[in-house]
Amino acid sequence: MSAAATPKLPISVQSIAPIRVASLRATLASFREQGGMWAELLSFLSKNGTAPSGPTFTLVHSCDPQIVVEVCAPIDEATQLPVNDRITAHVLPAIRAAVAVHHGPMQDISNAHERVSEWVVANKKTVVGPAREVYLKVPIQGDEITAVGWDNVTVESGTHVAGVLAMSQNAHALSFAHIIKSAELACTAILSALILRTFYSWQIYTSLITVCAGIALASVAEVSLSMADPIRHVVSDYKR
């Protein structure tokens, strides 16, 4: 009898609040070089009397053609850090993320990333930001990174995806969802003129005529459309 297939990691869609971090960004030859980045960041915080206020995490900005990562340590709003040409304090915006939780050896974390990527494709989502590795349980104490304990870690693998709230609805086709969202171009032009008194060239306003005409034709053909559908799409932009 063949061995049972390994069950897939469950995926949850989470709203992640804005978070202030101290971070260090670098281009690496391999992910193993992150160790030196963490040592530099945590040592910097320790020397300035500060400790991470929550689980540390890595933002993976790029894997191809170069590996670009940013190691991040959450810090309190009141924390003041000296000027540093490598480490900066800033606020990461709120996002909606598809998340898988990995329990086990750190060397197997790629399984969680692959599972999230698989889910994104299967659910027709769009990735709009860097992937995150949130280290819920790793052998880091203060500014010390130990050599043992990496065979039993707990790490969240998350990917910033767009339109999760709206695109998860099955009331209409995904293509129609994008048609509705294209109406935001006209809304932006109108509200800019009415509220900000900002006006664009006549060519831009003329091009919006064809956009609005296309939206009208698609709406007439989509008999299942309800008012809840466009509202969900507008709300999704503020959830990202």
Side-chain angles (χ1 to χ4, degrees), residues 22-178:
S23 72
L24 170 61
R25 179 167 174 161
T27 299
L28 308 177
S30 74
F31 283 104
R32 292 183 178 276
E33 295 180 7
Q34 279 189 76
M37 296 177 65
W38 281 114
E40 181 178 350
L41 175 61
L42 297 175
S43 177
F44 174 79
L45 293 179
S46 179
K47 289 177 180 178
N48 287 281
T50 301
S53 59
T56 56
F57 57 93
T58 296
L59 299 179
V60 182
H61 292 280
S62 173
C63 290
D64 184 32
Q66 294 180 312
I67 298 174
V68 180
V69 302
E70 183 177 358
V71 294
C72 303
I75 55 176
D76 295 329
E77 290 294 331
T79 298
Q80 298 295 320
L81 295 175
V83 175
N84 186 288
D85 60 353
R86 285 175 55 80
I87 297 172
T88 61
H90 57 102
V91 177
L92 297 175
I95 66 170
R96 291 277 282 179
V99 178
V101 180
H102 165 74
H103 301 278
M106 189 66 188
Q107 64 186 24
D108 293 338
I109 184 61
S110 60
N111 294 336
H113 288 298
E114 291 172 2
R115 174 68 182 110
V116 171
S117 297
E118 177 186 81
W119 182 91
V120 167
V121 172
N123 289 273
K124 297 184 173 70
K125 300 295 187 278
T126 302
V127 176
V128 293
R132 293 192 185 192
E133 284 186 4
V134 183
Y135 308 116
L136 302 180
K137 176 188 173 186
V138 292
I140 297 178
Q141 299 294 330
D143 61 346
E144 297 294 328
I145 304 174
T146 65
V148 297
W150 292 98
D151 58 344
N152 186 26
V153 302
T154 300
V155 179
E156 282 185 345
S157 169
T159 295
H160 182 188
V161 290
V164 170
L165 178 64
M167 301 307 184
S168 62
Q169 306 297 324
N170 293 318
H172 54 275
L174 180 65
S175 59
F176 182 70
H178 288 293

Side-chain angles (χ1 to χ4, degrees), residues 3-4 6 35 116 120 136 193 195 218 223 229:
T6 303
V116 171
V120 167
L136 302 180
I195 299 175
V223 296
D229 294 312

